[in-house]
Each structure stands twice: as C-alpha cells, then as structure tokens.
Amino acid sequence: MIDKETVKHVAKIARINLTEEEIDKFSRQLNDIVEDFKILDELDVENVAPSFHPIRTENVLREDEVKECLKREEIFKIACHKEGDYFKAPKIM
Amino acid sequence: MDLFEYVTNVKKGKLSALDTVKAAIKKCKELNEKYNCFVTICEEEAIKQAKLADKEKKGLLCGVPITVKDAICVKDVECTAGSKILKGYIPPFDATVIEKLKAQGAVIIGKTTQDEFGFGSFSTNSAYGIPKNPYDISRTAGGSSGGCGSITQLADFPHIGIGESTGGSISAPSFFCGVYGLTPTYGLVSRYGLIDYANSLDKIGPMAKTVDEIALALNIISGNDSKDQTSLNNTKIDYSNYESIKGYTIGLPKQYFENASKEVKEKINEAINVLKKLGVKFIDVDLKLTKYHLSAYYLAAVSEASTNLSKLDGIRYGAKLEFDKDIDFNNYYSNVRSKYFGDEAKRRIMIGTFARMSGFRSQYYLKAMKARTLIINDYKKAFEKCDALLSPTMMYTAPRFDEIAKLDPLQVYQSDLLTVGPNLAGIPMINVPCGFDSNKLPIGFHVLGNHLDEIKILSIAKAYEEATKK
C-alpha cells in the first residue's frame, strides 16, 4: 500500500519536490499502479535467473589507446554553470 | 515520387537535392502549424547537407529528407527528447545512426515531437505541443514517436522517419498513422547518441510508407558500434533480399486478439486470408504469460528510467536555474528536476525509485526481471513452431484527445498491452498497414519475429504489400 508518507519518502530519495496537492494525486495514482504490479506474485520465479537484458550480452573490452574525443571547448560551450575550465556546482558539504 | 528513383536522379544530376529539401522544409513548416510534428525544423543545417549531396552525388540516401525523433542527437541541432529539462541542449556530436545516415547522403530536416523521454502512448506528454493524427486532428498520432508517425504519413516528398521504441513507441504511431514501422532486435542498431529512456529496452528503428524504404534504412543504420556496449556483433545481411514466404508458418497468439475491437479484428482476419493465399500456414499459439507483460514491462522501464534521469542536473547541459552561494547541491538538483520534469516523468521516477528501494527491490524490480526471463522463453517456445507471430498492433484505432484526457495513468499503460511483451523480449516487430475502420482511421497488423529474424518479418510485410497493391 502506497500512502502519503511513502510518497513523501520516495520523493525525498528521488529528489523531487512535491506540493501537498501532488502528494495527494501521486499517492492515489501510484497505489493503483503498484497494486496492479502485484499480479507478478502469481508467478513462481523461485529458480528463475533474472534477465537484465533481452538478449545475451557479453563484456566488451578494448585496448586502452588514446583516441580523439570531444574537444573541451565544445563541451563547455553548452555547460549550464562553469568557471574557467571547470563545471561550477553548488556546495556539496 | 519514389524514393529510389529520386536518389538515382539526384546522383545523375537530373534533380536537385537542394530544391527538394527547400520544398520539403516549406511543406513541413506549413504542416507543422496544423499537425505539430516538429520540435525543431533545422533549415540551415539541412541546406548545408543538401548542397553537399548535390556536390558529392553519392550514397544510398543521396539528398533524401529525413526526420528524426527528438530523443536522438543530431550535431548542432537542439535535442530536447520532448522535455523542458533539456531545453537549450545542443549536442556537439551525431548519434551513430545519424552519422551512418549522413554518410549515405541523407539530409536531416527536423526533430519530431514525442512524449517527454518517450513516457507515453499518445504523445500527449510532450512539452513542445502534441502531434496530431494525419487523418483527424482531434485524434492522437500515437506515442511516443508521434511526430514521426504523423510526418511520415503526411510527407509528399521522398522521406524516411527515424523513431525509437522502448515499449511500443514505433509500432503505436505507425498503426495510428497508417505507416510501416520497424522495431529491430535489441542491440541490432546502435543506441549511442540516444537520450535513454530504459537502456535494456530502447531500440532505434525506421518508419516509412513502403517496406523497401524500411529495409533500406535498416541496412544503413544496423551494425556493430564500439560506442554502444550492448551493440550486437552479428554478420551483416541485406534486409531487402526478401525470402519467399510460401511455406512459412505464422502463429496467432490467441491472447492478443481477446481485447481488440471488432473492426480491428475484422481487418486483421482479412489480412490473414491474403497471407493464406500466398502459401502461409497459420497455427494457434498460446502465449500464456501475456497477462504479466504489462507489469513486468513497466517495472523494468520505470526502474531504469528513474536511474537514467538522475544525470540531468542543471549543471552540465540542458535547462538550469541560477544559484547563490547559500544553496546546497541537493536542493539545487531537486529544484531543477521539480521545475522542469513533467508530471509523467515525475510519476515514473517515483515508481521506479520505489521499485528499486531497499526492502522492495526483490518484490518488484527483481521479480520483474525474473518474469522477463519466463516471458522471453514463452516467445522462444512459440518460435520453435513458427517463423513469425501475427496479431493486431493496437487494440483500437486512434482515440480522440478528449477520450485520452479521461484515462487515468494506469489505463494509459494498459493501452500498450500488445506491444510491451515483444519489446520486453527484445524481439523485432513491424506494423503493416492493412486498411481503415468506419471512421477512416488506419488499422495495421503486427508481425513479430525471433531475435535477429528481421528478414522474415520484412518478407511477410513485403509479400502482403505486393499482394494488396492497387
């Protein structure tokens, strides 16, 4: 059951600010959706391996060679916040 | 004009790519006022490429106007993926598919409207206006590659659309707009340069008015790419080298017909009769896990989406807010996300975060991944007995926007019932237009193939197209 408290908790972890109105709306909608997911409980998956990809994928390795990549100025041209040759972020601590 | 004929004429210097592209852009601008197919029409870039095509006279798509779903990066053209949080993002590089198209002389003329990040079935979650159905503007063009579906039907010039599907976003708009749309096997086409929705589900594919154009586009965009670690390394084949379908066995999954409307079912049965006359044998197939497809799919999709979207931070690229020295990172990051993500993006981030949260992960996310194994096996078992599966692509023809507005989010998710299973299993699928309902709205059938059996589903589509040509 997804109640308002769960929605507030999830929103905090997901870094989404919600208004009281949104909390109301989302707790109703999320509850419906998550209740629907419970149909999977009918399946016996005890000895089933998960498929994180639809097709078998293998680890891809390559030689560690220097190759041309995007130029620094091209990347900084589209930066939201920068100072000199650095991205500028709000304080973390 | 026929696309292949056009390319030949441009290469011979008999037709000008520049004139064609200019006329196509003029037409797109006019159409856009009514149908809202485009987020961006990139006239300047297109004219440069058209002049190059006229000069070099080479490539399989020499001078052909191409439109691209807005989630795919085109160098120097704004790329928003239908979201406000990417407003102003101008990628300094081409996605691999774009690189490959340009290398064949293609001219990218615009970026098409879509649901924000692909989150939707009707393109109504677009932050840049909603694309309209080419047959009735009070109805949806489908989602999430809705703009692509609409312009592919409306274009009166040589054209191929490039769409992207996570759970049905190529098939749905192709069905609603009456065009062919192919979703390739997962990993056949590089995802490098695609704004991810869900990494283990996303597939880029072509939308067009003929099967030959679909096969041509797939020939160009498929192939291994070292920039995408999930890219397959299989032998390249010619997808226009169609097989004879005489003697094919096609399975009809009975569960896929249960919820389809009467008119849709009637048209699909007519199509089945056409294929029978071409020597195809039909058998009934029991995909008994169908009722679990939606839950397994949505859990996989939202879980992956919620981690993918965490990279949009308002610092490196895209939309931003100003900050003073007092704000901390978490507050800034939350403020950017809360201001620019739309409702459906927020909803999916929340469900995805919940499904992966400590204490719920094995009950939701992991269980869905295990269910996915069973669902893949269910399809694999069916393909032991048949060359392909056939069903309606969607359960009903294009709904009106006022009908869509009355649906709650769960009901919208349920509209994807027939497309999420094959997308979750990563198998290839194609929508084949096969007639209209009493409202003159397009209907299409879906052909699903085993992994890497694109040639079989294209052969079926081609044989049907030939047999029904007027």
Side-chain angles (χ1 to χ4, degrees):
Chain A
M1 171 77 190
I2 296 199
D3 54 17
K4 282 191 196 179
E5 285 313 305
T6 316
V7 168
K8 281 186 201 167
H9 179 60
V10 173
K12 193 172 167 232
I13 300 177
R15 304 275 177 226
I16 303 276
N17 308 328
L18 297 180
T19 60
E20 277 305 318
E21 211 175 291
E22 284 176 314
I23 292 169
D24 248 14
K25 180 177 71 179
F26 282 144
S27 50
R28 250 181 305 117
Q29 293 174 341
L30 265 53
N31 197 52
D32 284 354
I33 295 164
V34 172
E35 278 301 311
D36 209 58
F37 289 157
K38 289 197 173 139
I39 191 171
L40 294 182
D41 292 343
E42 294 172 16
L43 287 172
D44 179 10
V45 291
E46 177 102 6
N47 297 309
V48 179
S51 289
F52 296 108
H53 286 94
I55 209 164
R56 204 183 140 75
T57 53
E58 278 164 23
N59 204 6
V60 183
L61 300 170
R62 62 164 171 81
E63 292 303 315
D64 189 17
E65 292 164 340
V66 178
K67 281 185 185 166
E68 209 176 321
C69 59
L70 283 176
K71 291 197 176 63
R72 190 185 292 241
E73 35 308 350
E74 299 225 17
I75 294 166
F76 279 111
K77 210 160 70 186
I78 56 169
C80 303
H81 294 287
K82 62 188 165 187
E83 204 169 291
D85 270 355
Y86 297 94
F87 287 110
K88 188 178 173 184
K91 66 180 178 204
I92 308 257
M93 311 245 313
Chain B
M1 177 199 281
D2 176 75
L3 183 142
F4 295 87
E5 206 178 301
Y6 166 74
V7 170
T8 308
N9 281 319
V10 172
K11 286 202 218 170
K12 282 183 184 161
K14 285 185 184 167
L15 280 174
S16 148
L18 184 61
D19 289 349
T20 309
V21 166
K22 277 184 176 167
I25 286 176
K26 187 169 173 267
K27 180 81 185 178
C28 287
K29 283 181 179 169
E30 285 164 21
L31 289 170
N32 206 35
E33 299 204 352
K34 186 169 170 192
Y35 298 97
N36 204 26
C37 305
F38 293 95
V39 181
T40 309
I41 294 174
C42 44
E43 189 165 6
E44 207 179 302
E45 292 298 316
I47 284 175
K48 258 192 255 171
Q49 289 173 59
K51 283 180 179 165
L52 193 67
D54 277 331
K55 192 173 143 225
E56 296 194 336
K57 296 191 171 48
K58 63 169 197 193
L60 297 165
L61 289 173
C62 188
V64 175
I66 301 283
T67 59
V68 180
K69 185 177 186 178
D70 201 33
I72 300 167
C73 291
V74 177
K75 189 173 188 289
D76 298 333
V77 179
E78 185 181 46
C79 183
T80 70
S83 178
K84 280 186 187 154
I85 205 166
L86 279 166
K87 183 81 198 145
Y89 169 52
I90 298 174
F93 69 102
D94 276 324
T96 297
V97 290
I98 302 302
E99 222 172 60
K100 288 181 167 189
L101 291 163
K102 283 183 179 173
Q104 294 297 335
V107 178
I108 315 296
I109 59 168
K111 304 290 298 292
T112 46
T113 36
Q114 61 167 94
D115 286 296
E116 181 174 16
F117 298 109
F119 299 157
S121 311
F122 305 116
S123 293
T124 44
N125 299 321
S126 158
Y128 301 93
I130 299 165
K132 310 289 194 314
N133 192 291
Y135 291 91
D136 178 351
I137 58 165
S138 71
R139 294 174 188 269
T140 181
S144 67
S145 312
C148 189
S150 186
I151 192 63
T152 300
Q153 177 55 257
L154 292 165
D156 61 353
F157 46 84
H159 166 266
I160 292 174
I162 300 296
E164 177 274 332
S165 170
T166 305
S169 292
I170 291 174
S171 295
S174 299
F175 175 96
F176 290 138
C177 297
V179 298
Y180 294 90
L182 179 117
T183 305
T185 302
Y186 177 79
L188 184 67
V189 175
S190 168
R191 290 183 293 113
Y192 178 74
L194 167 72
I195 312 281
D196 320 286
Y197 167 171
N199 308 51
S200 84
L201 293 158
D202 297 344
K203 288 126 339 218
I204 294 174
M207 292 159 77
K209 278 204 191 108
T210 70
V211 180
D212 285 349
E213 290 164 357
I214 296 278
L216 171 68
L218 189 63
N219 276 340
I220 294 166
I221 64 175
S222 60
N224 182 254
D225 179 15
S226 61
K227 290 176 185 156
D228 172 2
Q229 60 176 356
T230 55
S231 168
L232 298 174
N233 202 358
N234 55 303
T235 323
K236 260 212 121 130
I237 61 163
D238 178 1
Y239 293 105
S240 64
N241 194 11
Y242 310 112
E243 295 176 353
S244 161
I245 66 165
K246 199 174 171 193
Y248 266 20
T249 302
I250 297 182
L252 301 171
K254 61 177 182 194
Q255 289 86 351
Y256 281 32
F257 287 79
E258 280 165 10
N259 298 303
S261 75
K262 192 169 157 272
E263 283 193 285
V264 167
K265 269 194 268 196
E266 273 170 17
K267 284 289 161 202
I268 307 295
N269 285 330
E270 284 174 25
I272 290 171
N273 285 331
V274 171
L275 292 169
K276 274 184 186 163
K277 283 187 190 135
L278 297 173
V280 173
K281 190 183 143 197
F282 283 89
I283 58 168
D284 287 329
V285 165
D286 186 12
L287 287 179
K288 57 184 184 309
L289 299 180
T290 302
K291 64 174 171 172
Y292 305 107
H293 288 186
L294 278 167
S295 292
Y297 165 76
Y298 269 99
L299 274 165
V302 296
S303 296
E304 292 184 27
S306 66
T307 64
N308 269 328
L309 295 182
S310 63
K311 63 178 169 274
L312 302 169
D313 55 14
I315 293 168
R316 291 168 299 167
Y317 52 87
K320 64 175 177 181
L321 294 169
E322 294 311 318
F323 58 77
D324 58 44
K325 63 179 174 26
D326 294 323
I327 194 162
D328 69 12
F329 180 86
N330 281 341
N331 278 322
Y332 176 75
Y333 181 65
S334 305
N335 291 347
V336 168
R337 287 159 65 84
S338 307
K339 176 165 176 155
Y340 295 114
F341 281 140
D343 251 20
E344 188 56 34
K346 286 178 186 169
R347 198 153 32 235
R348 296 198 189 198
I349 290 170
M350 302 266 292
I351 308 167
T353 305
F354 171 77
R356 292 180 297 109
M357 228 163 55
S358 160
F360 297 96
R361 187 175 181 272
S362 52
Q363 192 190 342
Y364 293 103
Y365 174 63
L366 211 54
K367 187 167 280 170
M369 294 295 106
K370 290 177 176 179
R372 184 187 208 174
T373 304
L374 298 176
I375 291 165
I376 294 170
N377 292 344
D378 213 19
Y379 283 113
K380 288 279 176 191
K381 219 174 110 197
F383 288 122
E384 284 171 13
K385 288 183 290 182
C386 38
D387 296 284
L389 299 172
L390 188 149
S391 76
T393 303
M394 300 300 285
M395 295 177 286
Y396 42 79
T397 52
R400 287 195 318 267
F401 291 114
D402 61 322
E403 292 168 333
I404 294 166
K406 285 184 202 137
L407 302 174
D408 63 40
L410 182 60
Q411 288 171 313
V412 174
Y413 296 177
Q414 285 162 345
S415 68
D416 299 334
L417 179 66
L418 303 179
T419 59
V420 291
N423 274 277
L424 189 63
I427 57 175
M429 65 206 91
I430 187 168
N431 175 66
V432 181
C434 66
F436 295 86
D437 71 359
S438 49
N439 287 321
K440 297 192 176 65
L441 298 168
I443 292 173
F445 63 88
H446 219 196
V447 188
L448 320 177
N450 201 349
H451 287 141
L452 295 171
D453 265 353
E454 272 79 1
I455 193 69
K456 284 190 179 173
I457 63 171
L458 282 164
S459 300
I460 294 165
K462 177 68 183 176
Y464 178 82
E465 183 188 38
E466 285 287 311
T468 52
K469 218 174 226 170
K470 279 177 195 106

